[in-house]
Amino acid sequence: MKRTHMKILLSLLYCVGVFTLSAQSRYFKESASWLQKSEACKPVLTYTEHKPVKRVTSIKDASAYQGWRMRDEGSTDLLFNESLKKHPSVIVDFGEHLTGYLDFSLKLLSQQVSDAPVRIKFTFAEVPSELNTPFDPYPGGLSRAWLQDEVMTLMTVPIEASIPRRVSFRYLKIELLGASSFDFAFDKLTFRAQTSAKTAPLPLASTTDPLIRKINEVGLLTLKECMQTVYEDGPKRDRRLWIGDLYLEALANAWSYKNHDLTKRCLYLLAALANDEGLLHATVLETPTPHPQNGTHCLDYSLLYNVALLEYLKETGDKEVALDLWPVVVRQIEMALRQYSDDWIYDMQKKPIYWLVFDWKDNYDRQASMQGLTAFSLEKSYELAKMLGKEKEARDWPRIAGQIKKAARKTFYDQKNGVIVSGPNRQVSYLSQVWMILSETLTAKEGAKAMATVLSMPDACYPGCPYAYHYVMEALLKCGMRQEARSLLTSYWGGMVNKGADTFWEVYDPNNDELSPYGFFPINSYCHAWSCTPVYFINKYPEIFQR
């Protein structure tokens, strides 16, 4: 029998080993060592205990975000002193967004004996509407299982229990689904919150506007919640590392928590799990063993990896990591340039046709944006090459960037109207201007005119999420449009704050509170990494945002 068990164990270990090895890139011979280095940087999480601060009731309110708000109902004492059968549906507010695990215990309230199981439903919500929008029949495009409703059957009372699933929430709805004649109540209801963010960020100047101060606080909490054992995109969903989120989280982290080992871990992890052509996967997962989401390649994200590595080097001076990962930088450039035509225009139809993210926005034409981003990444990658003494390997990049920008001006620049157009319908979008500004395809003067024009155009294709608005902010600042950048920060991220956000949302369109890329807004992430970058702007540019 022991031999049989040992054979089974060895077989399982072999399978895990094969899975891990097969997930590693076969293009880079260093991938195994990169994975080891990533694991060596895995942070130790810190835990804090939290209790609900009050009971609340959902109130339907057309003026509130997504039509619902919470009304204060006072103390949570009745959960611990009165029979749950008298209060079969209760909502508690933990006062802030938390990520971790719920622990609880039940107690008898009399000398009765528990003669049957108890069944309780726990529904966790980041925003009030999640508790007031029926989940079923489920209409969303992502897995129904991401929604945070858990039913527990407890076979006896008293009992101590924990919900095994990690959750992210502020509000908790507790519903009694089944009980017998005996009376019982909670004896304990606590939450173990976790994060890898440790260092306390520096305070803002006393002259900072109260709204901007609040935006910074919400951004810090958003980042803190997403800083787990990788930079997660969202602690509710998708709970994994994406390149686009990594880049923006690392920028914000550099101006707040300064956990640079987490950035280092993520850079190595992504590199180790590139595909067999050396192209990075846009997203990777940690469990059961590190592996990519196979087939998920976003060429814009791959190019931003290079920029993230450059920023890491600038922030830390860690040349060892940058030199280690230099082959990845080279390969991302090579893969991107394959998609260009002979006249240096990004070919949207050239196979393989890659997913380009840039924004969650329907009908947004991405061609001009990709043209600009490629030039931007080439020049940032060459800056990295110079810092590493790799100019010889990258000697063609400045010339190619120049050719791409020259072709961009010829193809996409509408000089008469002073804007960048994109695609066969000559679409005018915010992001087409942004990436031509960031790549310096447009001069600062031309960029300022282009941004002023699109900001005043009611029919311009505007961004659909905070990720895209980050780059709008970058472009405004690059053009010297400081007041416009400050106004955007307070109107867009401040708009979320004014609608009750205690963490920033994955998707936010001021004109549509129920916008969802997945066909069902409760499945949206309401604490999302790519939304945290007000922290970066407010702290990097105090002369603009803290005066």
Side-chain angles (χ1 to χ4, degrees), residues 494-526:
M496 285 186 265
V497 168
N498 290 333
K499 290 184 178 182
D502 52 5
T503 52
F504 287 127
W505 308 325
E506 173 187 17
V507 178
Y508 175 55
D509 183 338
N511 301 311
N512 182 4
D513 283 351
E514 297 184 1
L515 179 67
S516 175
Y518 321 109
F520 188 54
F521 63 86
I523 202 74
N524 288 3
S525 167
Y526 293 95

Side-chain angles (χ1 to χ4, degrees), residues 30-240:
E30 306 92 344
S31 62
S33 68
W34 290 345
L35 191 58
Q36 291 173 352
K37 290 176 181 180
S38 173
E39 288 301 300
C41 295
K42 188 174 182 177
V44 175
L45 298 173
T46 58
Y47 294 88
T48 52
E49 184 177 280
H50 300 260
K51 297 178 180 179
V53 297
K54 59 186 174 183
R55 287 183 298 112
V56 292
T57 298
S58 296
I59 302 297
K60 192 170 182 60
D61 183 347
S63 66
Y65 180 62
Q66 296 177 339
W68 292 92
R69 61 179 174 84
M70 292 300 189
R71 183 178 68 200
D72 188 344
E73 297 292 349
S75 168
T76 62
D77 287 352
L78 62 79
L79 286 169
F80 304 95
N81 300 325
E82 300 181 24
S83 175
L84 287 184
K85 293 192 296 183
K86 291 175 59 178
H87 308 283
S89 180
V90 177
I91 301 173
V92 294
D93 180 0
F94 277 74
E96 61 181 316
H97 191 283
L98 300 167
T99 296
Y101 298 89
L102 185 75
D103 302 315
F104 66 94
S105 60
L106 299 177
K107 63 184 179 182
L108 291 168
L109 288 179
S110 67
Q111 298 302 312
Q112 295 172 298
V113 175
S114 65
D115 59 356
V118 170
R119 180 167 291 170
I120 302 175
K121 182 178 181 180
F122 299 88
T123 305
F124 300 85
E126 295 181 303
V127 293
S129 65
E130 288 179 86
L131 297 181
N132 298 286
T133 305
F135 290 170
D136 300 299
Y138 177 64
L142 298 179
S143 170
R144 162 67 172 81
W146 284 118
L147 296 171
Q148 299 179 118
D149 53 337
E150 301 292 319
V151 175
M152 294 198 71
T153 300
L154 306 156
M155 298 308 296
T156 187
V157 177
I159 192 171
E160 291 191 6
S162 299
I163 293 181
R165 171 183 179 173
R166 198 194 82 183
V167 295
S168 294
F169 78 114
R170 174 175 171 173
Y171 304 103
L172 169 60
K173 185 175 185 179
I174 303 167
E175 297 173 274
L176 182 60
L177 302 184
S180 186
S181 59
F182 60 92
D183 291 312
F184 61 96
F186 281 99
D187 193 34
K188 179 181 79 170
L189 185 63
T190 59
F191 192 79
R192 286 175 289 134
Q194 64 178 55
T195 181
S196 61
K198 297 180 178 67
T199 305
L202 294 174
L204 301 182
S206 60
T207 53
T208 306
D209 179 89
L211 177 57
I212 292 179
R213 187 177 296 278
K214 182 63 176 178
I215 291 169
N216 188 65
E217 290 173 3
V218 173
L220 285 170
L221 182 56
T222 304
L223 176 59
K224 177 184 176 182
E225 291 288 273
C226 294
M227 290 175 69
Q228 299 294 329
T229 48
V230 293
Y231 286 122
E232 293 185 358
D233 58 336
K236 178 182 96 172
R237 202 224 81 238
D238 301 314
R239 295 176 54 167
R240 67 196 66 176

Side-chain angles (χ1 to χ4, degrees), residues 231 241-254 260 262-268 270-271 280 300-318 321-322 325 328-329 332 373 376-381 383-384 387-388 435 467 470-471 474:
Y231 286 122
L241 171 63
W242 287 81
I243 297 173
D245 298 85
L246 154 68
Y247 174 46
L248 298 194
E249 283 180 276
L251 289 177
N253 170 65
H260 301 303
L262 186 61
T263 306
K264 178 179 174 180
R265 167 171 165 75
C266 294
L267 290 168
Y268 270 124
L270 286 159
L280 294 171
D300 53 329
Y301 276 14
S302 295
L303 290 173
L304 285 173
Y305 177 92
N306 296 8
V307 187
L309 182 59
L310 169 65
E311 293 299 329
Y312 171 81
L313 176 58
K314 286 181 175 179
E315 189 63 31
T316 64
D318 189 349
V321 170
L325 297 175
V328 182
V329 172
Q332 304 322 296
L373 171 56
F376 173 78
S377 181
L378 274 164
E379 293 185 333
K380 293 293 184 182
S381 299
E383 183 181 348
L384 177 61
M387 293 178 71
L388 298 177
W435 285 106
Y467 174 74
H470 166 88
Y471 294 104
E474 293 272 28

